[in-house]
Coordinates of all heavy atoms in Angstrom, one line a residue:
S1 N 150.3 24.2 47.3 CA 150.7 23.5 46.1 C 151.6 22.3 46.5 O 151.3 21.2 46.0 CB 151.5 24.4 45.1 OG 151.9 23.7 44.0
P2 N 152.6 22.4 47.2 CA 153.4 21.2 47.6 C 152.6 20.2 48.4 O 152.8 19.0 48.1 CB 154.5 21.8 48.5 CG 154.7 23.2 48.1 CD 153.3 23.7 47.7
Q3 N 151.7 20.7 49.3 CA 150.9 19.7 50.0 C 150.0 18.9 49.1 O 149.8 17.7 49.3 CB 150.1 20.4 51.1 CG 150.9 20.9 52.3 CD 151.4 19.7 53.1 OE1 151.1 18.6 52.9 NE2 152.3 20.1 54.1
T4 N 149.6 19.5 48.0 CA 148.7 18.8 47.1 C 149.4 17.5 46.5 O 148.8 16.5 46.4 CB 148.2 19.7 46.0 OG1 147.5 20.8 46.5 CG2 147.3 19.0 45.0
Y5 N 150.6 17.7 46.0 CA 151.2 16.6 45.3 C 152.4 15.9 46.1 O 152.9 14.9 45.7 CB 151.8 17.0 44.0 CG 152.8 18.1 44.0 CD1 154.2 17.7 44.1 CD2 152.5 19.4 43.8 CE1 155.1 18.7 44.1 CE2 153.5 20.4 43.8 CZ 154.8 20.1 43.9 OH 155.7 21.1 43.9
L6 N 152.7 16.4 47.3 CA 153.7 15.8 48.1 C 153.2 15.2 49.4 O 153.9 14.7 50.2 CB 154.8 16.8 48.4 CG 155.7 17.2 47.3 CD1 156.7 18.3 47.7 CD2 156.5 16.0 46.7
G7 N 151.9 15.3 49.6 CA 151.3 14.8 50.9 C 151.5 13.3 51.1 O 151.8 12.9 52.2
Q8 N 151.5 12.6 50.0 CA 151.8 11.1 50.1 C 153.1 10.8 49.4 O 153.3 9.6 49.1 CB 150.6 10.4 49.5 CG 149.3 10.6 50.2 CD 149.3 10.3 51.7 OE1 149.9 9.3 52.1 NE2 148.7 11.1 52.5
A9 N 154.0 11.7 49.2 CA 155.2 11.5 48.4 C 156.2 10.7 49.3 O 156.1 10.7 50.5 CB 155.8 12.8 48.0
S10 N 157.1 10.0 48.6 CA 158.2 9.3 49.3 C 159.2 10.3 49.9 O 159.2 11.4 49.5 CB 158.9 8.3 48.4 OG 159.6 9.0 47.4
A11 N 160.0 9.8 50.8 CA 161.1 10.7 51.3 C 162.0 11.2 50.2 O 162.4 12.4 50.2 CB 161.9 9.9 52.4
E12 N 162.3 10.3 49.3 CA 163.2 10.7 48.2 C 162.5 11.8 47.3 O 163.2 12.7 46.8 CB 163.5 9.5 47.3 CG 164.4 8.5 48.0 CD 163.7 7.5 48.9 OE1 162.4 7.6 49.0 OE2 164.3 6.6 49.5
E13 N 161.3 11.7 47.1 CA 160.6 12.7 46.3 C 160.5 14.0 47.0 O 160.7 15.1 46.3 CB 159.1 12.2 45.9 CG 159.1 11.0 45.0 CD 157.7 10.4 44.8 OE1 156.9 10.5 45.8 OE2 157.4 9.8 43.8
I14 N 160.3 14.0 48.2 CA 160.3 15.3 49.0 C 161.7 15.9 49.0 O 161.8 17.1 48.9 CB 159.8 15.0 50.5 CG1 158.4 14.6 50.5 CG2 160.0 16.2 51.3 CD1 157.8 14.2 51.8
I15 N 162.7 15.1 49.2 CA 164.1 15.6 49.1 C 164.4 16.2 47.8 O 165.0 17.3 47.7 CB 165.1 14.5 49.5 CG1 164.9 14.1 51.0 CG2 166.5 15.0 49.3 CD1 165.7 12.8 51.3
T16 N 164.0 15.5 46.7 CA 164.3 16.1 45.4 C 163.5 17.4 45.2 O 164.0 18.3 44.6 CB 163.8 15.0 44.3 OG1 164.6 13.8 44.5 CG2 164.0 15.6 42.9
W17 N 162.3 17.4 45.6 CA 161.5 18.7 45.5 C 162.2 19.8 46.3 O 162.2 21.0 45.8 CB 160.1 18.5 46.1 CG 159.3 19.7 46.1 CD1 158.5 20.3 45.2 CD2 159.2 20.6 47.3 NE1 157.9 21.5 45.6 CE2 158.4 21.7 46.9 CE3 159.7 20.6 48.5 CZ2 158.0 22.8 47.8 CZ3 159.4 21.6 49.4 CH2 158.6 22.7 49.0
S18 N 162.7 19.5 47.4 CA 163.4 20.5 48.3 C 164.6 21.1 47.5 O 164.8 22.3 47.5 CB 163.8 19.9 49.6 OG 162.8 19.3 50.3
L19 N 165.4 20.2 46.9 CA 166.5 20.7 46.2 C 166.2 21.5 45.0 O 166.8 22.6 44.8 CB 167.4 19.5 45.8 CG 168.7 19.8 45.0 CD1 169.6 20.7 45.8 CD2 169.4 18.5 44.5
N20 N 165.2 21.1 44.3 CA 164.8 21.9 43.1 C 164.1 23.2 43.5 O 164.2 24.2 42.7 CB 163.8 21.0 42.3 CG 164.5 19.8 41.6 OD1 165.7 19.8 41.5 ND2 163.7 18.8 41.3
T21 N 163.4 23.3 44.6 CA 162.7 24.5 45.0 C 163.6 25.5 45.7 O 163.5 26.7 45.5 CB 161.5 24.1 45.9 OG1 160.7 23.1 45.2 CG2 160.7 25.3 46.2
F22 N 164.5 25.0 46.5 CA 165.4 25.8 47.3 C 166.9 25.5 47.0 O 167.6 25.0 47.8 CB 165.2 25.6 48.8 CG 163.7 25.9 49.2 CD1 162.9 24.8 49.4 CD2 163.3 27.1 49.4 CE1 161.5 25.0 49.8 CE2 162.0 27.4 49.8 CZ 161.1 26.3 50.0
L23 N 167.2 25.9 45.8 CA 168.6 25.6 45.3 C 169.6 26.3 46.2 O 170.7 25.8 46.5 CB 168.8 26.1 43.9 CG 170.2 25.8 43.2 CD1 170.4 24.4 43.2 CD2 170.2 26.4 41.8
H24 N 169.2 27.5 46.7 CA 170.1 28.3 47.6 C 169.3 28.5 48.9 O 168.1 28.7 48.9 CB 170.5 29.6 47.0 CG 171.2 29.5 45.7 ND1 172.5 29.0 45.6 CD2 170.8 29.8 44.5 CE1 172.8 29.0 44.3 NE2 171.9 29.5 43.6
G25 N 170.0 28.4 50.1 CA 169.4 28.6 51.3 C 168.7 27.3 51.9 O 167.9 27.4 52.9

């Protein structure tokens, strides 16, 4: 799922996804 929509994402988009997905840890 992440690879589908983050494969060409910007660094900022990947960082935002990371924070939203892994709020803890």
Side-chain angles (χ1 to χ4, degrees):
S1 180
Q3 286 292 354
T4 299
Y5 61 88
L6 290 176
Q8 301 301 319
S10 68
E12 291 82 0
E13 289 170 334
I14 293 175
I15 293 169
T16 299
W17 173 87
S18 303
L19 178 60
N20 292 337
T21 304
F22 302 100
L23 183 60
H24 303 290

